[in-house]
Amino acid sequence: MFFRILGKDLKRKRVMNVLLLLFVILSATFASASINNMVSVYGGIDYFFDKAGMPDFITLTMNSDGVNPTEDIVRNSVSVTSYQREDLFFYNAKNLKKDGKVYVDFENPGIVTSVSGARLTYFNGDNEEITEISPGHVYLGGLLNDPEKVHPGDVITLELSGRSREFIVDGYVKDALFGSPFLGNPRMLMNDGDYDYFLSDETIRSASCGCAYYINTDDGKALKKELTAVKNALFGESISTIKITYLLDMLTAVLMMVVGICLILISFAMLSFTIKFTLNEDFREIGVMKAVGLRNSSIRGLYLIKYLCIACVGAVIGYACSIPFAKLLLESVSRRILLGNDNYELIGLISAAAVVAVIVAFCYSCTKGIKKLSPVDAVRNGETGERFKKKSVLKLSKSRLPENLFLALNDVLSKPRQYVSMVVTFTMCILLVTMLANTSNTLMSEKLIFLFGTTESDAYYNSTEKIMETMGSDDPDILDHIIEDIEKELKDNGMPGKVHVELMYTLPVEFGNEKMNVIMQQCKDTQASEYKYITGSAPMYANEIAFTPQIIDELGARIGDRVLIEINGEKREFIITATMSSFNQVGKIGRLHEAVDVNVNDASSAMAFQIDFDDDPDAEEIDARIGRMKDIFDTDKIYNAADFVNMSTGSAQTMSDAKDLVLLIALIIAALVTVLMERSFISKETPEIALMKAIGFKTRSICAQHTLRFVVLTVICTCIASVLTVPLTRLISDRVFAIMGAQSGFEYEIRPLEIFAIYPLAVAGVVIVSALLTSLYIKSVRADAMGNIE
């Protein structure tokens, strides 16, 4: 009997049941896909590092005159349990060409490793270990692991110090150390013979060679102290810090998890409304069932069977959809990371089953209203005839609103509980998109320029070649000559201006018993007071410095303390006067006063050359000049402030893609919710609609009234979302920026037209169109349907 009744109910309410099924499918799809992705990405990074043989600590150094002092330190250190040395040499974007043109533009030096000299385990696109490479073939990784720019089979040429050789790209290499775009050092893996061909050149051996040391240690602090003696270290971090560089890969999985949770919550809201609406509509059937002797538990079981069937069907379809959907979400991540999830199917099934269990449990709690209904309700048409408060909020006699708008507004205000689920749903849809848009816009805004330790300039010219030229020279004036050449070129082309550059030095810092290498920024052509600081005051004298909170915490120091820094072989005392935020080195950096005498040839790296034009041009003119400078200097690596931030973070596009995906999902959810609710309203209000038709209201007028309800709701939701979008963005995205290194002191880029108009209007437009189209079903309601309760 139960199943016969169930079958009739499913046929009688096809639209509502289909919409509920869609919500369950979406919930199960996102729950299964996002949980699997979380396990794959979070567990995958550990799995990848383990398979690749990543150690506890990695340091990357350049050889000085063919000598590397790191070797003796690591070999003799009591804190080192084991280590491996991987020899390599560096190249720049201009050294890698295809058909005579730069193959792919990138900023940081690229790294070349031979296949037999590799000390980490590297994998190809099929997750197979790369153990041999044919002569004349290479694998590319890191930033070059990009199918839009690099294609297997490409013929490229590596030119370095007069030596040149053609290579065929065999595919992408999965590199645990430099696989994240956040680090920006593309790896090239090649045959031993090809590697030796380049190293047979004395210039390459002396100026472009280096080593990566993979160190296992039982005392990380002691090891860091000892490595402060290495003056030419380019990179030195623990494995925990390197894991942070894969933050953006994790962020996509987290984002999809949040969307999945939101979908489940929306499904619950819709279920709650639908169940309560169904019980109110089925008062006669429930009353009759109680009159013939059925207990409350049996009647509740009937409804539970219905929702259990819908949940099971939805979960099965959702699980099937989650498999390709999860692969789509992980496509970009799996190109770089060796993902390991041996329980993929089991986790997906458990997630789908959990959705079913939660939905059924929720449905059971919602059906407790059955206890209140009695056989008498079947006779009274579900009404008790009692009402102790007025229903209408607005008064028609005092209103000057058009009749349809008055009826719609009064209906929303008179029965707010009926519309709460929609307000929550539409508000969440708008907030999900606007929060991602705020974060994405901020990551490509000039407001973050200070987080790279640079002042605001008109243009930024990134030239790794010129910086490497400085680092590889013994001429103390070489940087001045380079800057003079750039300024002369600009002046000769009618764009006179001043040029300066932020240099970065790896210097040993001591405080008490703590000692560590710290990357210190300095520019002799600017003043320390021109930069932003979180607390304290800018360094005013040569013996004052600033650190990020991460460095201060690691040293155990605070503002006002004195530290010792070794510069040019001499230990000097400095006073910490301020703290600052920075994205550089994952937030572990400091700033020297401009008067501190440091040998520019000892710089370990640098930021872009900053150009300030003498005539203070506007933004449009700056962009025009940047286009001209790209032709003059034959490079694409010249940016305005916003583009420089976008290029440096390398994460805005990821957030923008996620925003577009969430916007699409939000619009689909908004449309489904609108159709479900409007269809429910029409079914519930059939007598009222029939009465309105009987007294002369036209169908289009009633449709307008129903549509205007949703207009009122979207206005309310837009107002709520506008108030919440900025604080919620700060609440969530502040954590992301903190992990990237920026603790505080930055402002979000809020674009009012986009955040408060375009996205809310997009959601509102979908809601209104869906409501209008669904309201056309009112045509099927006849004027004689006032007494029909079937």
Side-chain angles (χ1 to χ4, degrees):
M1 180 185 71
F2 276 11
F3 291 101
R4 189 165 60 250
I5 296 173
L6 174 62
K8 289 183 178 180
D9 183 79
L10 291 174
K11 290 180 182 178
R12 186 165 58 97
K13 300 174 182 176
R14 278 195 298 268
V15 175
M16 293 181 63
N17 291 328
V18 167
L19 289 172
L20 280 177
L21 177 63
L22 287 174
F23 276 111
V24 175
I25 291 172
L26 286 172
S27 300
T29 299
F30 274 86
S32 299
S34 58
I35 292 174
N36 258 317
N37 287 2
M38 289 282 287
V39 173
S40 297
V41 175
Y42 278 99
I45 292 173
D46 289 329
Y47 179 84
F48 184 27
F49 280 22
D50 181 59
K51 291 293 184 182
M54 284 286 280
D56 300 324
F57 194 89
I58 299 98
T59 184
L60 184 67
T61 65
M62 286 193 71
N63 296 341
S64 300
D65 299 322
V67 177
N68 196 321
T70 313
E71 186 75 31
D72 291 335
I73 295 172
V74 173
R75 183 186 297 134
N76 299 318
S77 172
V78 295
S79 59
V80 174
T81 57
S82 64
Y83 78 94
Q84 290 182 304
R85 167 176 167 165
E86 185 176 83
D87 292 319
L88 46 88
F89 65 85
F90 300 94
Y91 69 97
N92 301 316
K94 283 191 174 180
N95 301 131
L96 196 62
K97 297 182 179 180
K98 179 184 177 185
D99 300 328
K101 297 180 181 179
V102 174
Y103 186 41
V104 177
D105 267 325
F106 52 86
E107 313 305 329
N108 295 338
I111 295 169
V112 178
T113 308
S114 69
V115 66
S116 66
R119 295 297 174 260
L120 292 181
T121 302
Y122 300 103
F123 302 88
N124 61 21
D126 296 323
N127 296 332
E128 298 171 344
E129 183 181 345
I130 301 174
T131 56
E132 59 178 289
I133 301 175
S134 302
H137 292 252
V138 292
Y139 281 89
L140 302 177
L143 286 176
L144 296 179
N145 190 342
D146 186 347
E148 293 185 3
K149 300 176 182 178
V150 177
H151 308 95
D154 284 349
V155 178
I156 59 176
T157 303
L158 181 62
E159 301 173 355
L160 197 62
S161 298
R163 292 193 169 248
S164 175
R165 181 158 287 187
E166 280 192 350
F167 295 96
I168 298 173
V169 178
D170 278 355
Y172 308 117
V173 58
K174 296 185 179 182
D175 175 11
L177 177 56
F178 291 113
S180 168
F182 198 76
L183 287 177
N185 296 94
R187 173 94 66 176
M188 181 186 294
L189 202 60
M190 66 171 55
N191 175 269
D192 296 348
D194 296 325
Y195 182 86
D196 293 337
Y197 165 75
F198 285 99
L199 281 196
S200 62
D201 183 86
E202 179 63 31
T203 305
I204 297 175
R205 284 203 309 272
S206 61
S208 300
C209 281
C211 301
Y213 284 89
Y214 304 110
I215 307 167
N216 288 309
T217 176
D218 52 12
D219 191 342
K221 285 190 175 182
L223 177 62
K224 280 191 174 183
K225 277 187 185 180
E226 294 176 89
L227 289 176
T228 56
V230 180
K231 302 297 188 296
N232 58 349
L234 302 177
F235 179 83
E237 287 297 343
S238 65
I239 190 173
S240 58
T241 301
I242 295 170
K243 284 181 181 179
I244 293 174
T245 64
Y246 289 91
L247 168 70
L248 292 175
D249 295 318
M250 302 181 212
L251 194 59
T252 304
V254 173
L255 177 64
M256 291 303 104
M257 173 72 83
V258 171
V259 173
I261 292 172
C262 291
L263 270 174
I264 293 171
L265 293 176
I266 291 170
S267 298
F268 287 168
M270 293 303 100
L271 277 170
S272 176
F273 172 83
T274 306
I275 292 170
K276 291 175 182 177
F277 169 76
T278 302
L279 295 182
N280 290 333
E281 192 181 40
D282 291 350
F283 63 87
R284 168 169 284 190
E285 289 87 342
I286 295 172
V288 171
M289 283 190 284
K290 286 194 172 184
V292 298
L294 289 179
R295 297 180 179 178
N296 287 325
S297 58
S298 299
I299 301 172
R300 293 179 78 176
L302 175 64
Y303 285 95
L304 285 180
I305 291 174
K306 169 187 172 180
Y307 292 113
L308 175 61
C309 290
I310 292 175
C312 288
V313 172
V316 170
I317 299 174
Y319 171 69
C321 294
S322 73
I323 297 173
F325 184 63
K327 290 181 179 178
L328 175 66
L329 293 178
L330 285 179
E331 183 178 0
S332 61
V333 181
S334 61
R335 284 200 312 271
R336 298 188 297 272
I337 301 175
L338 181 69
L339 297 176
N341 184 356
D342 298 329
N343 300 310
Y344 194 92
E345 293 80 6
L346 179 61
I347 292 174
L349 289 172
I350 291 174
S351 302
V355 170
V356 173
V358 172
I359 287 176
V360 172
F362 181 77
C363 291
Y364 183 77
S365 66
C366 290
T367 55
K368 60 185 178 183
I370 290 175
K371 296 178 181 179
K372 300 178 181 179
L373 297 175
S374 67
V376 178
D377 292 310
V379 180
R380 293 179 174 177
N381 290 344
E383 296 289 341
T384 62
E386 298 175 336
R387 188 172 76 219
F388 300 103
K389 60 181 179 180
K390 64 180 182 179
K391 182 178 181 181
S392 178
V393 174
L394 302 178
K395 292 186 177 181
L396 183 60
S397 60
K398 296 182 179 181
S399 173
R400 297 184 179 180
L401 296 174
E403 60 184 24
N404 288 327
L405 180 58
F406 172 85
L407 289 171
L409 187 59
N410 186 64
D411 188 58
V412 172
L413 296 177
S414 300
K415 296 177 284 187
R417 293 180 62 185
Q418 181 172 279
Y419 299 95
V420 167
S421 58
M422 282 188 290
V423 170
V424 172
T425 300
F426 298 152
T427 302
M428 287 175 62
C429 289
I430 296 172
L431 283 174
L432 282 172
V433 179
T434 55
M435 286 191 298
L436 283 172
N438 287 335
T439 306
S440 175
N441 293 338
T442 302
L443 285 171
M444 57 176 110
S445 164
E446 64 273 8
K447 289 183 178 181
L448 297 187
I449 195 72
F450 75 95
L451 288 173
F452 299 95
T454 60
T455 53
E456 292 186 17
S457 294
D458 294 327
Y460 298 79
Y461 172 23
N462 207 325
S463 176
T464 307
E465 299 85 358
K466 295 184 185 298
I467 296 303
M468 294 290 287
E469 187 180 338
T470 301
M471 296 163 57
S473 173
D474 294 327
D475 181 4
D477 299 321
I478 187 170
L479 182 61
D480 293 334
H481 296 326
I482 292 172
I483 290 176
E484 288 170 4
D485 290 342
I486 297 174
E487 290 179 344
K488 182 178 182 301
E489 198 73 40
L490 291 172
K491 185 176 180 180
D492 291 345
N493 285 274
M495 298 178 289
K498 298 296 181 183
V499 178
H500 65 273
V501 63
E502 294 281 345
L503 295 180
M504 304 169 79
Y505 302 89
T506 304
L507 301 174
V509 178
E510 294 183 48
F511 177 73
N513 294 324
E514 297 296 330
K515 187 176 182 181
M516 59 185 292
N517 276 336
V518 178
I519 302 292
M520 302 296 297
Q521 284 189 258
Q522 185 200 50
C523 178
K524 297 184 184 296
D525 298 315
T526 60
Q527 297 180 354
S529 57
E530 296 179 44
Y531 301 84
K532 288 188 178 182
Y533 301 91
I534 305 172
T535 56
S537 57
M540 299 296 292
Y541 303 100
N543 67 333
E544 295 180 347
I545 57 169
F547 287 125
T548 56
Q550 292 93 320
I551 295 295
I552 288 183
D553 291 343
E554 199 163 335
L555 288 171
R558 59 184 179 181
I559 291 178
D561 286 338
R562 298 172 183 269
V563 297
L564 292 175
I565 302 180
E566 186 177 335
I567 299 176
N568 301 333
E570 175 190 353
K571 288 188 177 181
R572 307 182 194 178
E573 189 176 69
F574 292 85
I575 302 172
I576 303 173
T577 64
T579 62
M580 60 187 189
S581 282
S582 179
F583 277 160
N584 292 333
Q585 300 294 312
V586 201
K588 296 182 178 181
I589 205 161
R591 172 159 294 282
L592 292 170
H593 189 270
E594 63 273 10
V596 178
D597 182 24
V598 189
N599 188 348
V600 297
N601 306 111
D602 292 336
S604 55
S605 61
M607 301 302 293
F609 289 95
Q610 297 177 231
I611 302 170
D612 296 291
F613 297 112
D614 293 342
D615 56 347
D616 194 24
D618 59 19
E620 186 176 348
E621 176 61 21
I622 289 173
D623 289 339
R625 291 185 182 183
I626 287 174
R628 291 172 57 194
M629 286 190 291
K630 288 180 178 180
D631 294 331
I632 294 167
F633 295 105
D634 189 25
T635 180
D636 289 331
K637 295 183 284 187
I638 303 178
Y639 314 93
N640 59 29
D643 289 340
F644 180 71
V645 171
N646 185 19
M647 179 276 300
S648 299
T649 59
S651 54
Q653 188 59 48
T654 301
M655 296 298 293
S656 182
D657 292 343
K659 175 199 67 181
D660 294 341
L661 175 61
V662 172
L663 175 60
L664 177 63
I665 294 168
L667 295 179
I668 293 173
I669 292 172
L672 290 175
V673 169
T674 303
V675 172
L676 173 63
M677 299 301 285
E678 174 58 16
R679 189 67 182 83
S680 302
F681 291 153
I682 294 173
S683 179
K684 179 181 179 182
E685 297 169 9
T686 296
E688 289 90 336
I689 294 170
L691 177 61
M692 293 178 72
K693 285 190 173 184
I695 62 177
F697 279 86
K698 294 183 178 180
T699 298
R700 65 172 178 269
S701 177
I702 303 173
C703 290
Q705 178 206 328
H706 278 239
T707 303
L708 283 171
R709 291 179 185 175
F710 290 89
V711 173
V712 172
L713 288 175
T714 54
V715 170
I716 294 172
C717 295
T718 299
C719 293
I720 296 173
S722 298
V723 172
L724 295 179
T725 183
V726 175
L728 285 179
T729 299
R730 292 188 180 279
L731 179 66
I732 296 172
S733 296
D734 276 4
R735 276 68 179 168
V736 177
F737 287 127
I739 294 174
M740 295 171 70
Q743 299 284 349
S744 60
F746 57 89
E747 296 180 10
Y748 283 91
E749 173 74 9
I750 307 297
R751 299 178 184 175
L753 180 63
E754 181 180 348
I755 301 305
F756 303 119
I758 294 177
Y759 293 127
L761 283 176
V763 174
V766 168
V767 169
I768 293 168
V769 170
S770 301
L772 178 60
L773 294 176
T774 309
S775 68
L776 297 178
Y777 185 75
I778 289 173
K779 292 180 181 179
S780 63
V781 179
R782 299 184 306 176
D784 60 357
M786 287 183 288
N788 185 12
I789 60 173
E790 292 300 326

